[in-house]
Every structure is written in C-alpha cells, then in structure tokens.
Amino acid sequence: MLVYVWNGTADETLSHPFDPFPCGTAEQPFVIAQLGQSLDGRIATPTGDSKYINGGAALDHLHAIRARVDAVLVGIGTVVADDPLLTVRRVPGRSPARVILDPSGRLPCDARVLADDGVPRIVITRPGAPVAQGADCIAIEADGGVIPPRAILRALGACGFRRILVEGGARTISAFMDAGLVDRLHVLVAPLILGSGRNGLDLAPIGPLSQALRPRARAHLLADGNVLFDCDLSAGRLPSEPLSALAPWEA
Ligand SMILES: NC(=O)c1ccc[n+]([C@@H]2O[C@H](COP(=O)([O-])OP(=O)(O)OC[C@H]3O[C@@H](n4cnc5c(N)ncnc54)[C@H](OP(=O)(O)O)[C@@H]3O)[C@@H](O)[C@H]2O)c1
C-alpha cells in the first residue's frame, strides 16, 4: 500500500499524484516521465544494473502510473539492459501499450516487451531499419541521428494514445525534456548512494543558475522510505505545432 505524507513545504495547488492524469489530445498527448534514482541522481550502475534502486512502495507507484496511461515508452537501451515486461503487475489495473524507441533495429526478437499478451506493441524506428516480429512499426525520419520527440508524440497521438509514460532511460527522457514535451515528472528517490553510474538526466547545458528548471513540486514520503518528488513541468510545455509547420514526413 502506498502511504503519502504531505511535507508541507511545496506547492499545495499541485494535484495529488493519484488524481487522474489529464487527457491530452491527438496533437498533444499528456506526457509523464519517471526516474527511479539514488540520492546522488543515478538510475543505474556503470554496468547498467538498476534492479532495483527503489523500494517496494516506489515500484508500486511506478506500476500505478503505468495503469493510468495508454502507452509506456522506453528507449532500446533500457530494453537491452533490463529486458523489462512493462506490464502492470504490482497493483490492480490494465497494462498500457508498449512502445520501444529503436532507431537501428537492435530489439532482440525474444525481448519480453514483445510478449503476445493482447497489449499493443509498437516499435518506433527509422525508415529501412529492421524490426523484430511481434510489433507494429512506425518509421520516422531522424534528424541528426535523433528521432524528434515531437514527431514521436504526434505519431502516438494518431494511434489514439492520449496519456503517455516515458519510463526511461536517461537518453530518452532527456530528449523529451529538452524538447519541452513533458507535463509531469515523477522522481522517486531511494536512500542509497551509487557514487558512479548513469545520471538520470542529461539535459542541454545551462549557464547561470537562473536558467535551471524550478518546477512546482510536492514531496511525498513513501512507506519504504523512498521519496516521490511530483514535479509539474506544464509551465514549460511547448504548444503543439500546427500541421503546416511539420516536415512532410511528419504530416
Ligand atoms: N531507474 C530507472 O528509473 C530506470 C528506468 C529506465 C532505465 N534505466 C536504466 O537506464 C539505462 C538505459 O538508459 P540509456 O539512457 O542508456 O538508454 P535509453 O534511453 O533506454 O535508450 C537510449 C537509446 O534509445 C534510442 N533513442 C532514445 N531516444 C531516441 C531518439 N529521440 N531518437 C533516436 N533514438 C533514440 C537510441 O538507440 P540507438 O543507440 O540504437 O541509437 C538510444 O541510444 C539502463 O541501465 C537501465 O537499467 C533506469
């Protein structure tokens, strides 16, 4: 069971983390990102081990987020490192569609995200890249090696997904945050120190501290001693571009 304790120091106007997430639109789905990290901001050791940084209540919380979205998206680095299921198992609820960002066709055909359990599986890749059997494919042209997150969201919105969880890893979440496309960020901090390893975020460098993101936030102490920082990034969320502003392959 999740226990939330209002710490009384943050913004009281922020909705509770378990209020229903707002429903986005086809052009602009609602996007929540999550990071499960150590006290020193790491989401994995240098060898890529991340199971499990967080305690049981934090993992319950992650599953509860999955149960409240239409699709969960991860980068291929996470699939290769963790071979996750991305299902809802720890709390009641239905599993969301699974979306894997795999621009070079690295997804193993026996990856557990491809399990045929009645949930849609979608691979977002570049035109011409090989795609493992067992998933639908959306091919989007990359720009300088990066598939634009805005085009990814538009494609997922066209599939009918209105609430999307960007679950990891660092490169994937960072690309969405740098693009200004995350509405809400849940950072689950566990009381351990790795001292080395993968940083949770790797955003475009800033200069003065005044350029730092300072989202409205609430902290919640969970029953396992982990702390949830529920951050509202909607003030920096960039509006959808009109169709006319999109490249031909995005329209
Ligand atoms: N603690 C947590 O909350 C948590 C959650 C998830 C993952 N993790 C950990 O994070 C690590 C993986 O993170 P990561 O940053 O290395 O990998 P990642 O974000 O899972 O995947 C990165 C890869 O996905 C592709 N990709 C992502 N965004 C792209 C874009 N916009 N355009 C084109 N390709 C894109 C690229 O594939 P190519 O390399 O093929 O170009 C990229 O190298 C693992 O160790 C995992 O255990 C931790």
Side-chain angles (χ1 to χ4, degrees), residues 34-37 43-44 48-50 53-54 74-79 81-82 101-104 106 145-147 149 152 167-173 175 198:
Q34 82 83 38
L35 289 166
Q37 68 174 49
I43 61 164
D49 191 11
S50 67
I53 287 174
N54 293 105
V74 293
I76 185 63
T78 295
V79 177
D82 299 345
L101 197 40
D102 181 23
S104 307
R106 295 202 281 137
V146 175
I147 300 176
I152 295 169
E167 189 171 313
R171 186 177 160 193
T172 302
I173 291 180
R198 196 82 173 90

PDB file of all heavy atoms in Angstrom, residues 34-37 43-44 48-50 53-54 74-79 81-82 101-104 106 145-147 149 152 167-173 175 198, ligand 1:
ATOM      1  N   GLN A  34       9.146   9.362 -15.584  1.00  0.00           N
ATOM      2  CA  GLN A  34       9.533   8.933 -14.231  1.00  0.00           C
ATOM      3  C   GLN A  34      10.998   8.559 -14.205  1.00  0.00           C
ATOM      4  O   GLN A  34      11.550   8.033 -15.166  1.00  0.00           O
ATOM      5  CB  GLN A  34       8.666   7.764 -13.748  1.00  0.00           C
ATOM      6  CG  GLN A  34       9.093   6.385 -14.248  1.00  0.00           C
ATOM      7  CD  GLN A  34      10.211   5.734 -13.442  1.00  0.00           C
ATOM      8  OE1 GLN A  34      10.267   5.835 -12.221  1.00  0.00           O
ATOM      9  NE2 GLN A  34      11.127   5.028 -14.127  1.00  0.00           N
ATOM     10  N   LEU A  35      11.615   8.839 -13.066  1.00  0.00           N
ATOM     11  CA  LEU A  35      13.001   8.424 -12.814  1.00  0.00           C
ATOM     12  C   LEU A  35      13.046   7.768 -11.443  1.00  0.00           C
ATOM     13  O   LEU A  35      12.565   8.343 -10.462  1.00  0.00           O
ATOM     14  CB  LEU A  35      13.929   9.629 -12.801  1.00  0.00           C
ATOM     15  CG  LEU A  35      14.230  10.330 -14.125  1.00  0.00           C
ATOM     16  CD1 LEU A  35      14.885  11.674 -13.860  1.00  0.00           C
ATOM     17  CD2 LEU A  35      15.127   9.452 -14.982  1.00  0.00           C
ATOM     18  N   GLY A  36      13.620   6.577 -11.379  1.00  0.00           N
ATOM     19  CA  GLY A  36      13.863   5.941 -10.088  1.00  0.00           C
ATOM     20  C   GLY A  36      15.352   6.053  -9.808  1.00  0.00           C
ATOM     21  O   GLY A  36      16.167   5.431 -10.474  1.00  0.00           O
ATOM     22  N   GLN A  37      15.726   6.883  -8.855  1.00  0.00           N
ATOM     23  CA  GLN A  37      17.151   7.218  -8.725  1.00  0.00           C
ATOM     24  C   GLN A  37      17.660   7.148  -7.291  1.00  0.00           C
ATOM     25  O   GLN A  37      16.894   7.106  -6.332  1.00  0.00           O
ATOM     26  CB  GLN A  37      17.390   8.615  -9.296  1.00  0.00           C
ATOM     27  CG  GLN A  37      16.754   9.723  -8.486  1.00  0.00           C
ATOM     28  CD  GLN A  37      17.138  11.090  -9.013  1.00  0.00           C
ATOM     29  OE1 GLN A  37      17.057  11.357 -10.201  1.00  0.00           O
ATOM     30  NE2 GLN A  37      17.550  11.963  -8.114  1.00  0.00           N
ATOM     31  N   ILE A  43      20.556   6.445 -12.049  1.00  0.00           N
ATOM     32  CA  ILE A  43      19.469   5.492 -12.322  1.00  0.00           C
ATOM     33  C   ILE A  43      19.997   4.098 -12.623  1.00  0.00           C
ATOM     34  O   ILE A  43      19.214   3.171 -12.834  1.00  0.00           O
ATOM     35  CB  ILE A  43      18.562   5.965 -13.467  1.00  0.00           C
ATOM     36  CG1 ILE A  43      19.351   6.104 -14.778  1.00  0.00           C
ATOM     37  CG2 ILE A  43      17.862   7.259 -13.097  1.00  0.00           C
ATOM     38  CD1 ILE A  43      18.452   6.197 -16.007  1.00  0.00           C
ATOM     39  N   ALA A  44      21.317   3.941 -12.684  1.00  0.00           N
ATOM     40  CA  ALA A  44      21.915   2.622 -12.908  1.00  0.00           C
ATOM     41  C   ALA A  44      23.396   2.700 -12.544  1.00  0.00           C
ATOM     42  O   ALA A  44      23.996   3.779 -12.537  1.00  0.00           O
ATOM     43  CB  ALA A  44      21.755   2.194 -14.376  1.00  0.00           C
ATOM     44  N   GLY A  48      25.162  -0.789 -15.870  1.00  0.00           N
ATOM     45  CA  GLY A  48      23.774  -0.732 -16.337  1.00  0.00           C
ATOM     46  C   GLY A  48      22.791  -1.410 -15.410  1.00  0.00           C
ATOM     47  O   GLY A  48      21.607  -1.531 -15.735  1.00  0.00           O
ATOM     48  N   ASP A  49      23.248  -1.862 -14.238  1.00  0.00           N
ATOM     49  CA  ASP A  49      22.341  -2.552 -13.315  1.00  0.00           C
ATOM     50  C   ASP A  49      21.459  -1.539 -12.598  1.00  0.00           C
ATOM     51  O   ASP A  49      21.961  -0.600 -11.975  1.00  0.00           O
ATOM     52  CB  ASP A  49      23.178  -3.353 -12.299  1.00  0.00           C
ATOM     53  CG  ASP A  49      22.329  -4.312 -11.484  1.00  0.00           C
ATOM     54  OD1 ASP A  49      21.144  -4.514 -11.842  1.00  0.00           O
ATOM     55  OD2 ASP A  49      22.843  -4.848 -10.490  1.00  0.00           O
ATOM     56  N   SER A  50      20.143  -1.749 -12.673  1.00  0.00           N
ATOM     57  CA  SER A  50      19.228  -0.813 -11.996  1.00  0.00           C
ATOM     58  C   SER A  50      18.137  -1.538 -11.220  1.00  0.00           C
ATOM     59  O   SER A  50      17.197  -0.916 -10.740  1.00  0.00           O
ATOM     60  CB  SER A  50      18.582   0.119 -13.026  1.00  0.00           C
ATOM     61  OG  SER A  50      17.726  -0.604 -13.883  1.00  0.00           O
ATOM     62  N   ILE A  53      16.865  -0.121  -7.737  1.00  0.00           N
ATOM     63  CA  ILE A  53      17.303   1.027  -6.947  1.00  0.00           C
ATOM     64  C   ILE A  53      16.227   1.380  -5.924  1.00  0.00           C
ATOM     65  O   ILE A  53      16.513   1.689  -4.772  1.00  0.00           O
ATOM     66  CB  ILE A  53      17.608   2.207  -7.892  1.00  0.00           C
ATOM     67  CG1 ILE A  53      18.917   1.928  -8.654  1.00  0.00           C
ATOM     68  CG2 ILE A  53      17.699   3.519  -7.112  1.00  0.00           C
ATOM     69  CD1 ILE A  53      19.251   2.953  -9.705  1.00  0.00           C
ATOM     70  N   ASN A  54      14.983   1.308  -6.350  1.00  0.00           N
ATOM     71  CA  ASN A  54      13.887   1.763  -5.495  1.00  0.00           C
ATOM     72  C   ASN A  54      13.300   0.633  -4.658  1.00  0.00           C
ATOM     73  O   ASN A  54      13.452  -0.547  -4.978  1.00  0.00           O
ATOM     74  CB  ASN A  54      12.786   2.394  -6.350  1.00  0.00           C
ATOM     75  CG  ASN A  54      13.242   3.684  -6.988  1.00  0.00           C
ATOM     76  OD1 ASN A  54      13.515   3.719  -8.180  1.00  0.00           O
ATOM     77  ND2 ASN A  54      13.350   4.733  -6.185  1.00  0.00           N
ATOM     78  N   VAL A  74       9.826   3.313 -23.790  1.00  0.00           N
ATOM     79  CA  VAL A  74      11.211   3.220 -23.311  1.00  0.00           C
ATOM     80  C   VAL A  74      12.156   3.229 -24.505  1.00  0.00           C
ATOM     81  O   VAL A  74      11.787   2.869 -25.619  1.00  0.00           O
ATOM     82  CB  VAL A  74      11.478   1.928 -22.489  1.00  0.00           C
ATOM     83  CG1 VAL A  74      10.710   1.926 -21.187  1.00  0.00           C
ATOM     84  CG2 VAL A  74      11.197   0.681 -23.306  1.00  0.00           C
ATOM     85  N   GLY A  75      13.415   3.611 -24.237  1.00  0.00           N
ATOM     86  CA  GLY A  75      14.455   3.534 -25.250  1.00  0.00           C
ATOM     87  C   GLY A  75      15.004   2.121 -25.334  1.00  0.00           C
ATOM     88  O   GLY A  75      14.897   1.329 -24.387  1.00  0.00           O
ATOM     89  N   ILE A  76      15.635   1.820 -26.447  1.00  0.00           N
ATOM     90  CA  ILE A  76      16.172   0.472 -26.656  1.00  0.00           C
ATOM     91  C   ILE A  76      17.276   0.159 -25.639  1.00  0.00           C
ATOM     92  O   ILE A  76      17.474  -1.007 -25.277  1.00  0.00           O
ATOM     93  CB  ILE A  76      16.680   0.310 -28.112  1.00  0.00           C
ATOM     94  CG1 ILE A  76      17.134  -1.126 -28.365  1.00  0.00           C
ATOM     95  CG2 ILE A  76      17.785   1.294 -28.453  1.00  0.00           C
ATOM     96  CD1 ILE A  76      16.060  -2.150 -28.254  1.00  0.00           C
ATOM     97  N   GLY A  77      17.964   1.185 -25.136  1.00  0.00           N
ATOM     98  CA  GLY A  77      18.996   0.944 -24.127  1.00  0.00           C
ATOM     99  C   GLY A  77      18.419   0.272 -22.892  1.00  0.00           C
ATOM    100  O   GLY A  77      19.048  -0.620 -22.296  1.00  0.00           O
ATOM    101  N   THR A  78      17.229   0.676 -22.501  1.00  0.00           N
ATOM    102  CA  THR A  78      16.568   0.082 -21.341  1.00  0.00           C
ATOM    103  C   THR A  78      16.162  -1.361 -21.622  1.00  0.00           C
ATOM    104  O   THR A  78      16.296  -2.242 -20.761  1.00  0.00           O
ATOM    105  CB  THR A  78      15.335   0.931 -20.959  1.00  0.00           C
ATOM    106  OG1 THR A  78      15.793   2.208 -20.532  1.00  0.00           O
ATOM    107  CG2 THR A  78      14.525   0.291 -19.859  1.00  0.00           C
ATOM    108  N   VAL A  79      15.668  -1.613 -22.823  1.00  0.00           N
ATOM    109  CA  VAL A  79      15.259  -2.987 -23.162  1.00  0.00           C
ATOM    110  C   VAL A  79      16.475  -3.912 -23.159  1.00  0.00           C
ATOM    111  O   VAL A  79      16.440  -5.010 -22.612  1.00  0.00           O
ATOM    112  CB  VAL A  79      14.551  -3.011 -24.529  1.00  0.00           C
ATOM    113  CG1 VAL A  79      14.203  -4.446 -24.923  1.00  0.00           C
ATOM    114  CG2 VAL A  79      13.290  -2.164 -24.492  1.00  0.00           C
ATOM    115  N   ALA A  81      19.314  -3.465 -21.548  1.00  0.00           N
ATOM    116  CA  ALA A  81      19.894  -3.593 -20.201  1.00  0.00           C
ATOM    117  C   ALA A  81      19.013  -4.403 -19.265  1.00  0.00           C
ATOM    118  O   ALA A  81      19.505  -5.229 -18.489  1.00  0.00           O
ATOM    119  CB  ALA A  81      20.151  -2.202 -19.612  1.00  0.00           C
ATOM    120  N   ASP A  82      17.701  -4.177 -19.323  1.00  0.00           N
ATOM    121  CA  ASP A  82      16.810  -4.709 -18.283  1.00  0.00           C
ATOM    122  C   ASP A  82      15.852  -5.795 -18.763  1.00  0.00           C
ATOM    123  O   ASP A  82      15.258  -6.487 -17.933  1.00  0.00           O
ATOM    124  CB  ASP A  82      15.948  -3.574 -17.692  1.00  0.00           C
ATOM    125  CG  ASP A  82      16.779  -2.486 -17.047  1.00  0.00           C
ATOM    126  OD1 ASP A  82      17.971  -2.734 -16.798  1.00  0.00           O
ATOM    127  OD2 ASP A  82      16.236  -1.390 -16.819  1.00  0.00           O
ATOM    128  N   LEU A 101      11.587   2.659 -28.513  1.00  0.00           N
ATOM    129  CA  LEU A 101      12.286   3.572 -29.428  1.00  0.00           C
ATOM    130  C   LEU A 101      13.582   2.899 -29.856  1.00  0.00           C
ATOM    131  O   LEU A 101      14.515   2.767 -29.067  1.00  0.00           O
ATOM    132  CB  LEU A 101      12.544   4.862 -28.659  1.00  0.00           C
ATOM    133  CG  LEU A 101      12.884   6.145 -29.375  1.00  0.00           C
ATOM    134  CD1 LEU A 101      12.082   6.340 -30.636  1.00  0.00           C
ATOM    135  CD2 LEU A 101      12.639   7.290 -28.406  1.00  0.00           C
ATOM    136  N   ASP A 102      13.609   2.423 -31.098  1.00  0.00           N
ATOM    137  CA  ASP A 102      14.713   1.565 -31.550  1.00  0.00           C
ATOM    138  C   ASP A 102      15.112   1.962 -32.974  1.00  0.00           C
ATOM    139  O   ASP A 102      14.733   1.293 -33.949  1.00  0.00           O
ATOM    140  CB  ASP A 102      14.256   0.096 -31.509  1.00  0.00           C
ATOM    141  CG  ASP A 102      15.360  -0.862 -31.931  1.00  0.00           C
ATOM    142  OD1 ASP A 102      16.552  -0.492 -31.844  1.00  0.00           O
ATOM    143  OD2 ASP A 102      15.023  -1.978 -32.346  1.00  0.00           O
ATOM    144  N   PRO A 103      15.914   3.022 -33.107  1.00  0.00           N
ATOM    145  CA  PRO A 103      16.172   3.563 -34.452  1.00  0.00           C
ATOM    146  C   PRO A 103      17.049   2.681 -35.326  1.00  0.00           C
ATOM    147  O   PRO A 103      17.044   2.835 -36.550  1.00  0.00           O
ATOM    148  CB  PRO A 103      16.889   4.888 -34.161  1.00  0.00           C
ATOM    149  CG  PRO A 103      17.525   4.693 -32.818  1.00  0.00           C
ATOM    150  CD  PRO A 103      16.589   3.808 -32.052  1.00  0.00           C
ATOM    151  N   SER A 104      17.772   1.741 -34.723  1.00  0.00           N
ATOM    152  CA  SER A 104      18.729   0.950 -35.512  1.00  0.00           C
ATOM    153  C   SER A 104      18.405  -0.534 -35.544  1.00  0.00           C
ATOM    154  O   SER A 104      19.247  -1.340 -35.930  1.00  0.00           O
ATOM    155  CB  SER A 104      20.147   1.158 -34.968  1.00  0.00           C
ATOM    156  OG  SER A 104      20.459   2.527 -34.892  1.00  0.00           O
ATOM    157  N   ARG A 106      17.831  -2.757 -32.991  1.00  0.00           N
ATOM    158  CA  ARG A 106      18.596  -3.558 -32.011  1.00  0.00           C
ATOM    159  C   ARG A 106      17.695  -4.422 -31.127  1.00  0.00           C
ATOM    160  O   ARG A 106      18.175  -5.162 -30.279  1.00  0.00           O
ATOM    161  CB  ARG A 106      19.426  -2.629 -31.119  1.00  0.00           C
ATOM    162  CG  ARG A 106      20.507  -1.865 -31.854  1.00  0.00           C
ATOM    163  CD  ARG A 106      21.592  -1.406 -30.898  1.00  0.00           C
ATOM    164  NE  ARG A 106      21.237  -0.214 -30.132  1.00  0.00           N
ATOM    165  CZ  ARG A 106      21.476  -0.070 -28.836  1.00  0.00           C
ATOM    166  NH1 ARG A 106      22.024  -1.053 -28.137  1.00  0.00           N
ATOM    167  NH2 ARG A 106      21.168   1.058 -28.212  1.00  0.00           N
ATOM    168  N   GLY A 145      20.482  12.011 -36.318  1.00  0.00           N
ATOM    169  CA  GLY A 145      20.526  10.792 -35.501  1.00  0.00           C
ATOM    170  C   GLY A 145      19.440  10.726 -34.448  1.00  0.00           C
ATOM    171  O   GLY A 145      19.293   9.710 -33.771  1.00  0.00           O
ATOM    172  N   VAL A 146      18.683  11.793 -34.291  1.00  0.00           N
ATOM    173  CA  VAL A 146      17.635  11.836 -33.261  1.00  0.00           C
ATOM    174  C   VAL A 146      16.267  11.846 -33.933  1.00  0.00           C
ATOM    175  O   VAL A 146      16.008  12.669 -34.827  1.00  0.00           O
ATOM    176  CB  VAL A 146      17.780  13.096 -32.383  1.00  0.00           C
ATOM    177  CG1 VAL A 146      16.630  13.194 -31.392  1.00  0.00           C
ATOM    178  CG2 VAL A 146      19.117  13.075 -31.659  1.00  0.00           C
ATOM    179  N   ILE A 147      15.424  10.927 -33.527  1.00  0.00           N
ATOM    180  CA  ILE A 147      14.033  10.977 -33.989  1.00  0.00           C
ATOM    181  C   ILE A 147      13.339  12.046 -33.151  1.00  0.00           C
ATOM    182  O   ILE A 147      13.313  11.944 -31.916  1.00  0.00           O
ATOM    183  CB  ILE A 147      13.337   9.614 -33.827  1.00  0.00           C
ATOM    184  CG1 ILE A 147      14.073   8.548 -34.647  1.00  0.00           C
ATOM    185  CG2 ILE A 147      11.883   9.714 -34.262  1.00  0.00           C
ATOM    186  CD1 ILE A 147      13.520   7.140 -34.479  1.00  0.00           C
ATOM    187  N   PRO A 149      11.298  14.002 -30.765  1.00  0.00           N
ATOM    188  CA  PRO A 149      10.243  13.605 -29.829  1.00  0.00           C
ATOM    189  C   PRO A 149       8.868  14.145 -30.217  1.00  0.00           C
ATOM    190  O   PRO A 149       7.848  13.496 -29.997  1.00  0.00           O
ATOM    191  CB  PRO A 149      10.727  14.196 -28.497  1.00  0.00           C
ATOM    192  CG  PRO A 149      12.216  14.206 -28.621  1.00  0.00           C
ATOM    193  CD  PRO A 149      12.478  14.537 -30.064  1.00  0.00           C
ATOM    194  N   ILE A 152       7.398  11.812 -32.559  1.00  0.00           N
ATOM    195  CA  ILE A 152       7.010  10.573 -31.865  1.00  0.00           C
ATOM    196  C   ILE A 152       5.649  10.764 -31.195  1.00  0.00           C
ATOM    197  O   ILE A 152       4.751   9.932 -31.308  1.00  0.00           O
ATOM    198  CB  ILE A 152       8.075  10.192 -30.818  1.00  0.00           C
ATOM    199  CG1 ILE A 152       9.390   9.842 -31.513  1.00  0.00           C
ATOM    200  CG2 ILE A 152       7.596   9.036 -29.944  1.00  0.00           C
ATOM    201  CD1 ILE A 152      10.582   9.713 -30.567  1.00  0.00           C
ATOM    202  N   GLU A 167       9.201   6.141 -19.595  1.00  0.00           N
ATOM    203  CA  GLU A 167       9.704   5.473 -18.384  1.00  0.00           C
ATOM    204  C   GLU A 167      11.228   5.434 -18.316  1.00  0.00           C
ATOM    205  O   GLU A 167      11.814   5.138 -17.281  1.00  0.00           O
ATOM    206  CB  GLU A 167       9.107   4.063 -18.311  1.00  0.00           C
ATOM    207  CG  GLU A 167       9.399   3.388 -16.995  1.00  0.00           C
ATOM    208  CD  GLU A 167       8.655   2.092 -16.783  1.00  0.00           C
ATOM    209  OE1 GLU A 167       7.426   2.065 -17.035  1.00  0.00           O
ATOM    210  OE2 GLU A 167       9.279   1.112 -16.373  1.00  0.00           O
ATOM    211  N   GLY A 168      11.883   5.673 -19.408  1.00  0.00           N
ATOM    212  CA  GLY A 168      13.344   5.670 -19.366  1.00  0.00           C
ATOM    213  C   GLY A 168      13.915   5.240 -20.698  1.00  0.00           C
ATOM    214  O   GLY A 168      13.178   5.017 -21.652  1.00  0.00           O
ATOM    215  N   GLY A 169      15.248   5.118 -20.756  1.00  0.00           N
ATOM    216  CA  GLY A 169      16.157   5.553 -19.733  1.00  0.00           C
ATOM    217  C   GLY A 169      16.505   7.024 -19.856  1.00  0.00           C
ATOM    218  O   GLY A 169      15.709   7.842 -20.346  1.00  0.00           O
ATOM    219  N   ALA A 170      17.731   7.319 -19.450  1.00  0.00           N
ATOM    220  CA  ALA A 170      18.148   8.707 -19.342  1.00  0.00           C
ATOM    221  C   ALA A 170      18.099   9.436 -20.681  1.00  0.00           C
ATOM    222  O   ALA A 170      17.608  10.569 -20.770  1.00  0.00           O
ATOM    223  CB  ALA A 170      19.573   8.751 -18.794  1.00  0.00           C
ATOM    224  N   ARG A 171      18.609   8.796 -21.730  1.00  0.00           N
ATOM    225  CA  ARG A 171      18.679   9.490 -23.010  1.00  0.00           C
ATOM    226  C   ARG A 171      17.272   9.779 -23.537  1.00  0.00           C
ATOM    227  O   ARG A 171      17.008  10.858 -24.063  1.00  0.00           O
ATOM    228  CB  ARG A 171      19.465   8.649 -24.033  1.00  0.00           C
ATOM    229  CG  ARG A 171      19.670   9.429 -25.291  1.00  0.00           C
ATOM    230  CD  ARG A 171      20.494   8.760 -26.351  1.00  0.00           C
ATOM    231  NE  ARG A 171      20.194   9.416 -27.624  1.00  0.00           N
ATOM    232  CZ  ARG A 171      20.533   8.962 -28.797  1.00  0.00           C
ATOM    233  NH1 ARG A 171      21.204   7.854 -28.908  1.00  0.00           N
ATOM    234  NH2 ARG A 171      20.200   9.617 -29.893  1.00  0.00           N
ATOM    235  N   THR A 172      16.393   8.846 -23.342  1.00  0.00           N
ATOM    236  CA  THR A 172      15.035   9.003 -23.876  1.00  0.00           C
ATOM    237  C   THR A 172      14.290  10.105 -23.124  1.00  0.00           C
ATOM    238  O   THR A 172      13.705  11.009 -23.739  1.00  0.00           O
ATOM    239  CB  THR A 172      14.296   7.659 -23.775  1.00  0.00           C
ATOM    240  OG1 THR A 172      15.047   6.689 -24.514  1.00  0.00           O
ATOM    241  CG2 THR A 172      12.892   7.768 -24.334  1.00  0.00           C
ATOM    242  N   ILE A 173      14.317  10.061 -21.803  1.00  0.00           N
ATOM    243  CA  ILE A 173      13.624  11.093 -21.022  1.00  0.00           C
ATOM    244  C   ILE A 173      14.244  12.462 -21.291  1.00  0.00           C
ATOM    245  O   ILE A 173      13.535  13.464 -21.452  1.00  0.00           O
ATOM    246  CB  ILE A 173      13.675  10.757 -19.512  1.00  0.00           C
ATOM    247  CG1 ILE A 173      12.807   9.533 -19.221  1.00  0.00           C
ATOM    248  CG2 ILE A 173      13.215  11.949 -18.673  1.00  0.00           C
ATOM    249  CD1 ILE A 173      12.787   9.129 -17.765  1.00  0.00           C
ATOM    250  N   ALA A 175      15.695  13.607 -23.930  1.00  0.00           N
ATOM    251  CA  ALA A 175      15.302  14.152 -25.240  1.00  0.00           C
ATOM    252  C   ALA A 175      13.912  14.771 -25.175  1.00  0.00           C
ATOM    253  O   ALA A 175      13.666  15.845 -25.733  1.00  0.00           O
ATOM    254  CB  ALA A 175      15.352  13.050 -26.301  1.00  0.00           C
ATOM    255  N   ARG A 198      25.015   5.832 -14.282  1.00  0.00           N
ATOM    256  CA  ARG A 198      24.232   6.604 -15.237  1.00  0.00           C
ATOM    257  C   ARG A 198      23.445   7.694 -14.527  1.00  0.00           C
ATOM    258  O   ARG A 198      22.701   7.421 -13.589  1.00  0.00           O
ATOM    259  CB  ARG A 198      23.261   5.645 -15.945  1.00  0.00           C
ATOM    260  CG  ARG A 198      22.654   6.175 -17.183  1.00  0.00           C
ATOM    261  CD  ARG A 198      23.612   5.997 -18.354  1.00  0.00           C
ATOM    262  NE  ARG A 198      22.981   6.349 -19.601  1.00  0.00           N
ATOM    263  CZ  ARG A 198      22.984   7.574 -20.128  1.00  0.00           C
ATOM    264  NH1 ARG A 198      23.576   8.572 -19.504  1.00  0.00           N
ATOM    265  NH2 ARG A 198      22.405   7.803 -21.287  1.00  0.00           N
TER     266      ARG A 198
HETATM  267  N1  LIG B   1      16.000   3.656 -12.587  1.00  0.00           N
HETATM  268  C1  LIG B   1      15.162   3.950 -13.563  1.00  0.00           C
HETATM  269  O1  LIG B   1      14.137   4.619 -13.365  1.00  0.00           O
HETATM  270  C2  LIG B   1      15.465   3.469 -14.938  1.00  0.00           C
HETATM  271  C3  LIG B   1      14.430   3.445 -15.892  1.00  0.00           C
HETATM  272  C4  LIG B   1      14.754   3.011 -17.173  1.00  0.00           C
HETATM  273  C5  LIG B   1      16.056   2.634 -17.472  1.00  0.00           C
HETATM  274  N2  LIG B   1      17.006   2.667 -16.515  1.00  0.00           N
HETATM  275  C6  LIG B   1      18.397   2.319 -16.831  1.00  0.00           C
HETATM  276  O2  LIG B   1      18.847   3.252 -17.790  1.00  0.00           O
HETATM  277  C7  LIG B   1      19.831   2.623 -18.604  1.00  0.00           C
HETATM  278  C8  LIG B   1      19.438   2.867 -20.051  1.00  0.00           C
HETATM  279  O3  LIG B   1      19.394   4.268 -20.266  1.00  0.00           O
HETATM  280  P1  LIG B   1      20.012   4.876 -21.569  1.00  0.00           P
HETATM  281  O4  LIG B   1      19.913   6.352 -21.499  1.00  0.00           O
HETATM  282  O5  LIG B   1      21.349   4.256 -21.767  1.00  0.00           O
HETATM  283  O6  LIG B   1      19.087   4.244 -22.696  1.00  0.00           O
HETATM  284  P2  LIG B   1      17.586   4.517 -23.192  1.00  0.00           P
HETATM  285  O7  LIG B   1      17.174   5.929 -23.019  1.00  0.00           O
HETATM  286  O8  LIG B   1      16.719   3.438 -22.629  1.00  0.00           O
HETATM  287  O9  LIG B   1      17.789   4.190 -24.726  1.00  0.00           O
HETATM  288  C9  LIG B   1      18.642   5.032 -25.458  1.00  0.00           C
HETATM  289  C10 LIG B   1      18.657   4.558 -26.866  1.00  0.00           C
HETATM  290  O10 LIG B   1      17.331   4.615 -27.417  1.00  0.00           O
HETATM  291  C11 LIG B   1      17.379   5.207 -28.667  1.00  0.00           C
HETATM  292  N3  LIG B   1      16.777   6.545 -28.559  1.00  0.00           N
HETATM  293  C12 LIG B   1      16.283   7.150 -27.454  1.00  0.00           C
HETATM  294  N4  LIG B   1      15.762   8.347 -27.780  1.00  0.00           N
HETATM  295  C13 LIG B   1      15.931   8.487 -29.114  1.00  0.00           C
HETATM  296  C14 LIG B   1      15.569   9.483 -30.051  1.00  0.00           C
HETATM  297  N5  LIG B   1      14.885  10.593 -29.693  1.00  0.00           N
HETATM  298  N6  LIG B   1      15.912   9.303 -31.344  1.00  0.00           N
HETATM  299  C15 LIG B   1      16.562   8.190 -31.729  1.00  0.00           C
HETATM  300  N7  LIG B   1      16.911   7.200 -30.900  1.00  0.00           N
HETATM  301  C16 LIG B   1      16.586   7.349 -29.606  1.00  0.00           C
HETATM  302  C17 LIG B   1      18.847   5.262 -29.055  1.00  0.00           C
HETATM  303  O11 LIG B   1      19.131   3.997 -29.611  1.00  0.00           O
HETATM  304  P3  LIG B   1      20.442   3.684 -30.508  1.00  0.00           P
HETATM  305  O12 LIG B   1      21.577   3.607 -29.525  1.00  0.00           O
HETATM  306  O13 LIG B   1      20.157   2.374 -31.151  1.00  0.00           O
HETATM  307  O14 LIG B   1      20.602   4.832 -31.460  1.00  0.00           O
HETATM  308  C18 LIG B   1      19.496   5.466 -27.712  1.00  0.00           C
HETATM  309  O15 LIG B   1      20.851   5.123 -27.638  1.00  0.00           O
HETATM  310  C19 LIG B   1      19.835   1.143 -18.244  1.00  0.00           C
HETATM  311  O16 LIG B   1      20.963   0.881 -17.455  1.00  0.00           O
HETATM  312  C20 LIG B   1      18.562   0.958 -17.455  1.00  0.00           C
HETATM  313  O17 LIG B   1      18.720  -0.036 -16.489  1.00  0.00           O
HETATM  314  C21 LIG B   1      16.750   3.074 -15.252  1.00  0.00           C
END
